[in-house]
Amino acid sequence: MGSWSESTFVGDLVLPLCVQHEAKRGAFEPLADLTILTNHKSSSAIVLDYGRCEGGLPEFRILSAKADGDLIEFDVVYSEGEDGVHHENGDGPFFLFSNAMNTYRRENHSFKATQAPITLLSRYTQQSQRFQKIILKSPNSSITFSAIGLRPSCESVSVKCSFSCSDPLLNKIYSEGVRTVEMCTLTAKETPEVWEVTREGTRVFGQHWSPCRQGTRWGDVVVQFEVRIEQGGASWGVHMVANGIIFCLDAEKGSIDVFEGLSHLNTVFPTKLHACWTLPEEIRLNEWIAVEVETIGGSLVLKINGSYAGKLHELNVHPLLGGAANNQGSVAFGGPNHFIALYRNLLVTSLSGQTLYENDFLLDNKERTQADFQVGTNNLACTIDGAKRDRAVFGGDLYVMGRSTYYSTLNIEAIAGSITLLTSHQTPDGYLGNLCPVQAPCHIGPDNPPTYAFYSLSYALLLLVAIKDYWLHTGDEYLVSCLWEKLDKLIGFAEHWIDARGLIVAPPPFQMDWFPLGGPVFGASTKINLAYYEALKSLAQLAKALGKDNTYTIRASRLKDSITSNLWDSETRIMKMGDMLPPTGISQDINSYAATLGIAAPPLSSDYTSGDGLPIAYINIPGFDRVPVVSPYASGFAAEASFTQSNGPAALSLIRKVWGVMADSSSGNYSGAHWEALKPDGTPWGHDTSLVHGWSTWPVFLLPRYLAGIAPLEAGWKRWAVKPVLAALSAVDAELETVRGKLGVKLRIENEAHKGCITVNVPAGTTCEVIPPAGWKIEQTEAVNNLIIVEGNDASVDIVIAKI
């Protein structure tokens, strides 16, 4: 494998850069021979390397194909990293949140042997993969490809901003972060439809089990539908949101396996096999069959064609999402990779016979079916957590992605779409949606929104902060004013859990955070209280702009005192992760977040900011430090904390360490983008870890925001500031496209001479406040209190500075 940083095209097809023939057991070679041969006993494979992660619809141009029989069959496996491509399902499967991708990362193609050129297209797009393995399964056969590649599913986004400095590594980190932003942003209608709704019924292909959005709070119900198997089998679930009880009817075995979990496979979360029931021989699986599932408390009964098929007792299904009671959830359809089945006439009733949901699954109900099960396209432009998975909108991710977008692509439509989709989901008592599949519709009406929209109270509060950031960067008061009541209602919801100390102590289902494997924080979660503090400060800004009463500032002040009194440990000088966790436990993001917010200003611990090793996100925290994780999300909080304390060298040291590993283009895990999480040795944290992940794009805004010092002071950039943080760099250049035009900053520092120059380009209609770095002064006599005001006239202004 070599070192690459650009895509290779033929026409509009992105091509791999090299190939490895497994039969030769050799290294990767230049892309010349794309022929696969098999003998009578074994399969054969080639592995293609695109050099970095690329996205699009896989296309296979076949020049010729020979076989002993009529059909030739090959499988394709996809992976972002080098290890995953050798797994059965690549770096998948992914079952948690969405159907906006190929769940299994493996697909099958079959076609008739031919000497004439043909082109095959995959059913699903692969929106992020570097490696592609082609496995020829037919014995005594051969395929010669003229080209294999990816057809991009959307037009390339123009980057509206730029950053460069005297450190090439930081420049590479910034540009790859911008690429991550691009790959984690969807245009409206970009996602292909997943289910096929026809005149006969709805064809469901084996993928993620999609729940009916109306039923995520159902308890005791009777579910009835008809199904006809077209390939492999049929699969459905009850008590489903992300996880639940899953039935897999295998047509070849003539049996039904019943699982509890996300799927029939063990993944990040384990799956439990409850039962395996043999079907009566008289049931003809090539015909329409009637299915009925009745759930009562912890029991369920399955009937096929009216006959008893099996029963389960003592179920206690705990939903991973939404906080609903155990043994509650919806009906869902999906399946193992090779299953294809046609469904019709779905009816869900209460035990008393009241109709809860009815859908014939026929063509006249196509739009409704796709919306109810989140299997159509995405109606709104939006940001997503990861390019390959989970392709869902998260409030906690938008907290980062929003700011990264303003300092790169300026795709305001995607930020507004994310905000619109999430905030359309709000419970009657005020809990604001903070997770949503991109294919879900906006929630309309008085009914409770589906529970899949609720992951974490801290994410809901960070969403509020992201909305403030949107207003600050766009000046869009209309959207914010439309959301005002929702935002204020969220604060009321959070305050419902305030205890006598003045801290929020929410029930465990609300207290998840970015590391779900650690579970919820019990007691007072510091992350929630810090996010609540920033949300109050954000609402204070919005209240002033909208002419609302500001009761938020005084509440924030009281909360600050409560946090420092109860969660800050003065002996260890650590901001505890929670009041029930040990004072010696260090949470990288929480200590750093508190410092950035100016709460207790804990010093950045050397345990995670210095030394040669990568920083560990959790140290000495039971349940969270079982498996060490290096988190770019948490490290972003730490880097910003250093910047806010004018410690540029510490911030850049951390960025170079964490993001520098990802930027190593000689690595087999190089993706040309920013990763979700790492092991301490610098490799991806798990085989399914996202290597193109939006929450890791902190450097995209941190570098121009702090090294160039560019930040809005008034909504819509009417007034903005330049206050650089020095970090032993001789040159920093940044240009930002804003809603008021393009602004620019050039910083030149002569470190040995202790002097420098700040050049600003101020668009007409804006005002710039230029403040020198800490410990420096402005040499011009027109400076007042070491500050110069520059009125915009689209001209460049030089400001000479010197070290004090």
Side-chain angles (χ1 to χ4, degrees):
M1 291 176 286
S3 176
W4 304 280
S5 60
E6 297 294 334
S7 305
T8 300
F9 287 86
V10 56
D12 58 354
L13 201 65
V14 182
L15 297 180
L17 298 178
C18 58
V19 59
Q20 179 191 59
H21 291 264
E22 285 198 339
K24 298 179 182 179
R25 299 184 181 276
F28 281 85
E29 304 169 350
L31 201 66
D33 179 14
L34 282 179
T35 298
I36 314 177
L37 300 168
T38 62
N39 57 33
H40 66 285
K41 291 184 178 181
S42 64
S43 62
S44 183
I46 58 173
V47 177
L48 303 172
D49 183 0
Y50 287 72
R52 65 177 186 176
C53 287
E54 303 284 0
L57 182 67
E59 183 172 315
F60 306 90
R61 299 178 184 175
I62 296 171
L63 191 62
S64 63
K66 300 177 183 178
D68 284 349
D70 290 337
L71 289 178
I72 296 180
E73 184 179 8
F74 67 91
D75 285 356
V76 189
V77 174
Y78 301 90
S79 178
E80 288 182 326
E82 61 181 345
D83 291 335
V85 77
H86 301 296
H87 293 187
E88 180 181 358
N89 286 305
D91 56 6
F94 322 124
F95 294 111
L96 274 171
F97 304 118
S98 140
N99 229 320
M101 66 241 161
N102 183 341
T103 300
Y104 291 97
R105 297 284 268 184
R106 185 185 185 106
E107 62 192 17
N108 175 266
H109 295 269
S110 62
F111 63 99
K112 290 185 177 181
T114 177
Q115 291 301 306
I118 61 169
T119 298
L120 301 179
L121 298 176
S122 295
R123 167 165 293 280
Y124 305 104
T125 56
Q126 299 290 345
Q127 294 294 16
S128 181
Q129 60 94 52
R130 173 177 168 179
F131 295 97
Q132 188 178 27
K133 186 176 184 179
I134 318 295
I135 307 165
L136 180 56
K137 299 172 68 175
S138 302
N140 292 324
S141 62
S142 68
I143 304 177
T144 298
F145 296 92
S146 60
I148 300 172
L150 299 168
R151 186 173 297 281
S153 56
C154 64
E155 295 182 3
S156 179
V157 177
S158 61
V159 178
K160 305 290 182 64
C161 309
S162 65
F163 168 85
S164 63
C165 67
S166 51
D167 184 341
L169 176 58
L170 294 178
N171 299 339
K172 192 169 192 287
I173 289 170
Y174 173 83
S175 64
E176 291 178 355
V178 174
R179 188 165 184 268
T180 309
V181 171
E182 292 182 77
M183 294 180 72
C184 292
T185 304
L186 294 181
T187 58
K189 309 290 186 183
E190 180 179 334
T191 305
E193 298 174 358
V194 180
W195 292 1
E196 289 182 359
V197 184
T198 74
R199 290 183 173 85
E200 287 189 277
T202 293
R203 183 170 289 109
V204 177
F205 300 87
Q207 289 285 295
H208 165 80
W209 282 261
S210 296
C212 177
R213 63 190 306 271
Q214 286 83 351
T216 57
R217 291 178 175 84
W218 288 337
D220 297 344
V221 294
V222 178
V223 176
Q224 298 172 299
F225 57 87
E226 296 172 74
V227 60
R228 189 179 73 201
I229 295 170
E230 295 186 337
Q231 178 182 299
S235 184
W236 61 93
V238 296
H239 296 327
M240 290 288 293
V241 180
N243 62 308
I245 299 297
I246 292 171
F247 301 84
C248 291
L249 193 167
D250 190 306
E252 182 178 347
K253 295 178 181 178
S255 63
I256 296 180
D257 291 337
V258 188
F259 301 91
E260 180 181 335
L262 296 168
S263 74
H264 64 300
L265 299 175
N266 286 311
T267 55
V268 177
F269 297 96
T271 290
K272 178 180 180 181
L273 176 63
H274 276 292
C276 181
W277 299 324
T278 300
L279 291 173
E281 293 183 2
E282 61 268 21
I283 295 178
R284 298 180 180 179
L285 295 178
N286 60 342
E287 300 177 354
W288 285 101
I289 62 173
V291 176
E292 178 182 304
V293 183
E294 182 181 70
T295 66
I296 305 174
S299 300
L300 64 78
V301 177
L302 173 67
K303 294 180 181 179
I304 303 291
N305 286 346
S307 298
Y308 173 86
K311 186 174 185 178
L312 293 179
H313 296 284
E314 299 181 357
L315 295 174
N316 191 29
V317 181
H318 177 71
L320 291 174
L321 286 179
N326 287 7
N327 295 330
Q328 286 191 359
S330 193
V331 60
F333 299 96
N337 195 16
H338 61 291
F339 280 19
I340 304 175
L342 206 61
Y343 296 84
R344 69 184 184 191
N345 297 331
L346 171 64
L347 174 65
V348 183
T349 65
S350 67
L351 298 183
S352 63
Q354 178 188 0
T355 297
L356 302 176
Y357 183 83
E358 188 172 11
N359 188 335
D360 62 12
F361 275 6
L362 301 183
L363 198 56
D364 287 344
N365 272 320
K366 177 180 178 178
E367 185 175 335
R368 176 182 167 222
T369 299
Q370 291 179 335
D372 289 353
F373 288 85
Q374 316 98 61
V375 291
T377 189
N378 59 296
N379 291 313
L380 297 172
C382 54
T383 62
I384 53 176
D385 59 333
K388 77 173 179 184
R389 70 117 184 98
D390 298 289
R391 299 187 68 79
V393 187
F394 286 82
D397 297 51
L398 191 63
Y399 178 77
V400 179
M401 273 282 287
R403 289 179 286 175
S404 299
T405 298
Y406 307 133
Y407 286 86
S408 59
T409 63
L410 196 64
N411 191 332
I412 294 173
E413 182 186 3
I415 306 301
S418 301
I419 291 170
T420 299
L421 181 60
L422 290 175
T423 57
S424 73
H425 297 77
Q426 187 170 39
T427 61
D429 54 359
Y431 191 20
L432 199 61
N434 50 87
L435 159 62
C436 201
V438 295
Q439 294 148 295
C442 288
H443 183 74
I444 300 173
D447 294 339
N448 246 325
T451 61
Y452 60 58
F454 304 97
Y455 172 70
S456 159
L457 180 54
S458 65
Y459 273 30
L461 293 165
L462 292 176
L463 170 62
L464 191 157
V465 179
I467 293 170
K468 179 268 298 180
D469 289 338
Y470 169 82
W471 161 79
L472 191 58
H473 284 268
T474 66
D476 184 356
E477 287 191 3
Y478 175 76
L479 178 59
V480 174
S481 63
C482 291
L483 297 176
W484 176 261
E485 290 186 7
K486 289 176 175 283
L487 304 182
D488 187 60
K489 196 173 182 179
L490 170 63
I491 294 299
F493 174 80
E495 290 183 340
H496 176 72
W497 308 109
I498 290 181
D499 68 2
R501 300 170 297 175
L503 297 176
I504 293 176
V505 184
F510 298 96
Q511 302 215 127
M512 298 293 288
D513 200 19
W514 63 266
F515 188 60
L517 295 184
V521 174
F522 292 88
S525 161
T526 306
K527 185 62 165 291
I528 286 179
N529 281 279
L530 292 175
Y532 175 47
Y533 175 81
E534 190 174 16
L536 289 172
K537 299 283 284 186
S538 297
L539 273 185
Q541 287 182 264
L542 295 176
K544 181 179 179 181
L546 299 176
K548 306 287 185 180
D549 292 336
N550 178 15
T551 63
Y552 308 102
T553 300
I554 186 65
R555 289 143 86 179
S557 178
R558 290 197 298 263
L559 176 62
K560 181 178 180 180
D561 292 340
S562 297
I563 293 173
T564 54
S565 298
N566 296 283
L567 298 171
W568 164 251
D569 189 278
S570 58
E571 292 186 8
T572 61
R573 297 194 62 78
I574 290 172
M575 185 65 74
K576 295 186 294 183
M577 188 173 173
D579 65 340
M580 297 179 67
L581 292 169
T584 57
I586 298 174
S587 168
Q588 181 189 23
D589 60 313
I590 286 169
N591 276 268
S592 305
Y593 192 19
T596 297
L597 295 176
I599 299 178
L604 298 182
S605 167
S606 61
D607 285 343
Y608 58 78
T609 61
S610 65
D612 295 330
L614 294 174
I616 306 302
Y618 299 109
I619 300 173
N620 297 329
I621 300 178
F624 288 81
D625 61 356
R626 288 171 297 180
V627 181
V629 57
V630 177
S631 169
Y633 187 65
S635 293
F637 281 99
E640 183 162 31
S642 291
F643 274 129
T644 58
Q645 296 172 2
S646 296
N647 192 347
L652 292 193
S653 174
L654 183 61
I655 290 172
R656 289 184 182 110
K657 275 197 286 189
V658 175
W659 281 268
V661 172
M662 311 176 213
D664 179 7
S665 55
S666 67
S667 166
N669 292 311
Y670 175 71
S671 65
H674 293 170
W675 304 356
E676 177 185 21
L678 301 83
K679 294 178 183 176
D681 65 2
T683 59
W685 194 71
H687 90 280
D688 63 346
T689 294
S690 169
L691 303 189
V692 183
H693 213 71
W695 78 7
S696 300
T697 57
W698 288 82
V700 174
F701 69 87
L702 289 179
L703 296 177
R705 164 65 182 85
Y706 290 101
L707 294 181
I710 304 173
L713 296 175
E714 295 182 11
W717 293 88
K718 184 177 180 180
R719 193 175 190 91
W720 52 287
V722 172
K723 185 181 179 181
V725 175
L726 298 186
L729 298 172
S730 60
V732 174
D733 296 291
E735 282 191 341
L736 265 66
E737 187 71 46
T738 72
V739 293
R740 291 185 177 270
K742 180 164 284 190
L743 54 88
V745 172
K746 292 184 178 181
L747 174 66
R748 296 293 182 270
I749 297 294
E750 298 178 37
N751 288 299
E752 293 184 0
H754 303 303
K755 64 181 180 179
C757 181
I758 302 173
T759 302
V760 294
N761 185 64
V762 185
T766 73
T767 301
C768 177
E769 296 183 6
V770 181
I771 305 167
W776 288 61
K777 64 181 180 179
I778 295 176
E779 294 283 71
Q780 277 99 320
T781 57
E782 58 266 36
V784 178
N785 296 324
N786 212 20
L787 178 148
I788 281 184
I789 306 294
V790 181
E791 299 294 340
N793 59 4
D794 293 321
S796 295
V797 177
D798 292 334
I799 298 164
V800 179
I801 59 174
K803 192 171 184 179
I804 297 175

